[in-house]
Amino acid sequence: MSDWISLAAGQSYPAGTLYIVATPIGNVADLSLRALHVLGLADAIACEDTRNTGQLLSRVGLQRPLVAVHEHNEREAAGRIVQRLAAGERIAYVSDAGTPGISDPGARLVEAARAAGLPVVPLPGPSAAVAALSVAGEMLDTGAGRFTFVGFLPSKAKARAEAIATLAALDHAWVLYEAPHRIAETLAALAAGLPAARRLLIGRELTKLFEETPVMTVAEAPAWLAAEATRAKGEFVLVVEGAAGTAHIGAPDAEAQRVLALLLAELPAKRAAKLAAAITGADTDALYKLALAQRGGD
Ligand code: SAM
């Protein structure tokens, strides 16, 4: 193996700079070589939760002074960090997991450093949204590769249903984050608010031991979650197909879906879709897409 320190250190990391460092979303080995190098170089590491970051550092054999910067003290803490940066220190900022600022704190600190004329440098790395999108396949073809990052939907049922109704019209894919205690409600709300054949990628426990990324229709998702009691435990990122994925071909109705499911149990996806289309009059392409989605969710 080549000397990783020289790979990561072959770039200058000026003093008086705020480094925004992405950290793993599960598997500690996803910490990049540059992230490791800069965390080791930092005079202090500002973080969302000192215990959490302390654990990460001890796993990679680093010890650095930690400063808590979370959503409740970000403004005041940012002021103190800006003073330290102005005095020539290197400060790294990490959130609990993934990329800071993406459904995580970090924005105020970045603004404060920039307003003080201090350099802010990103060290890219893991993010649950990008990881899920990278395996979303053709869902990204709808809307010519565009996607909308939504983050967490509103927690109140009415506001959540309204948000889904608005998002339903997007021609391209959209990405949601969801916590374990709300995943069942959110999957039910998606099933209720979107056409039954709309495809959904469920990124569960990415990079962890029980990682899975099944693709299914929104109509199937609540039953998938309920099928195993442990499923609701875990972290979830969802990629919902854009309206262009199914709208123009007309979603197969419940009868067509039932016939397809029966045939799929016995036949390859293409053959099952063709026969289901002949029997029910539904669109072959739509049925084939559905068949592939169901196979992916097996
Ligand atoms: N900043 C993070 C990022 O870049 O992905 C996101 C932080 S947000 C507070 C936490 C949410 O991200 C979780 O509730 C979950 O929806 C998603 N998430 C984080 N880690 C994940 C994982 N390993 N698998 C699936 N989703 C994950």
Side-chain angles (χ1 to χ4, degrees), residues 129-130 133 140 143 145-149 172-175:
V130 175
L133 284 163
L140 277 182
R146 282 175 300 136
F147 62 86
T148 289
F149 176 70
H172 54 268
W174 31 290
V175 187

Side-chain angles (χ1 to χ4, degrees), residues 16-77:
T17 299
L18 174 65
Y19 295 93
I20 303 296
V21 182
T23 57
I25 56 170
N27 190 324
V28 73
D30 285 339
L31 189 68
S32 79
L33 299 180
R34 291 177 72 222
L36 199 51
H37 181 66
V38 167
L39 292 177
L41 209 60
D43 294 294
I45 299 175
C47 55
E48 215 182 332
D49 179 334
T50 52
R51 229 179 43 164
N52 203 337
T53 301
Q55 278 170 5
L56 172 70
L57 293 187
S58 80
R59 287 201 66 192
V60 296
L62 283 179
Q63 266 193 324
R64 305 307 307 139
L66 300 179
V67 181
V69 182
H70 41 73
E71 56 176 337
H72 304 298
N73 77 346
E74 196 172 348
R75 212 175 286 276
E76 307 79 65

Side-chain angles (χ1 to χ4, degrees), residues 3-254:
D3 170 13
W4 70 263
I5 297 269
S6 59
L7 288 177
Q11 180 183 347
S12 74
Y13 297 95
T17 299
L18 174 65
Y19 295 93
I20 303 296
V21 182
T23 57
I25 56 170
N27 190 324
V28 73
D30 285 339
L31 189 68
S32 79
L33 299 180
R34 291 177 72 222
L36 199 51
H37 181 66
V38 167
L39 292 177
L41 209 60
D43 294 294
I45 299 175
C47 55
E48 215 182 332
D49 179 334
T50 52
R51 229 179 43 164
N52 203 337
T53 301
Q55 278 170 5
L56 172 70
L57 293 187
S58 80
R59 287 201 66 192
V60 296
L62 283 179
Q63 266 193 324
R64 305 307 307 139
L66 300 179
V67 181
V69 182
H70 41 73
E71 56 176 337
H72 304 298
N73 77 346
E74 196 172 348
R75 212 175 286 276
E76 307 79 65
R80 290 192 291 276
I81 287 170
V82 165
Q83 283 176 1
R84 294 181 68 164
L85 290 167
E89 292 193 21
R90 288 182 186 87
I91 310 263
Y93 176 73
V94 301
S95 59
D96 273 351
T99 301
I102 307 301
S103 292
D104 259 347
R108 289 208 181 101
L109 182 56
V110 167
E111 281 302 325
R114 196 167 280 140
L118 296 161
V120 181
V121 172
L123 267 84
S127 185
V130 175
L133 284 163
S134 74
V135 292
E138 283 187 353
M139 276 190 225
L140 277 182
D141 288 350
T142 64
R146 282 175 300 136
F147 62 86
T148 289
F149 176 70
V150 179
F152 293 95
L153 285 172
S155 55
K156 298 236 162 63
K158 186 163 177 280
R160 186 172 48 217
E162 283 167 5
I164 290 171
T166 306
L167 291 162
L170 294 177
D171 69 345
H172 54 268
W174 31 290
V175 187
L176 302 176
Y177 283 162
E178 197 46 279
H181 64 281
R182 276 208 208 104
I183 188 67
E185 285 170 52
T186 294
L187 292 182
L190 291 172
L194 294 171
R198 188 74 74 91
R199 285 186 303 172
L200 172 72
L201 177 139
I202 302 184
R204 176 175 177 271
E205 293 286 88
L206 296 180
T207 79
K208 303 186 199 179
L209 188 58
F210 297 108
E211 170 178 59
E212 50 187 334
T213 54
V215 175
M216 62 195 75
T217 65
V218 291
E220 294 163 332
W224 173 85
L225 187 72
E228 278 178 33
T230 51
R231 274 204 177 129
K233 298 192 184 113
E235 298 202 86
F236 291 89
V237 52
L238 310 175
V239 180
V240 184
E241 179 179 38
T246 46
H248 67 289
I249 46 183
D253 62 19

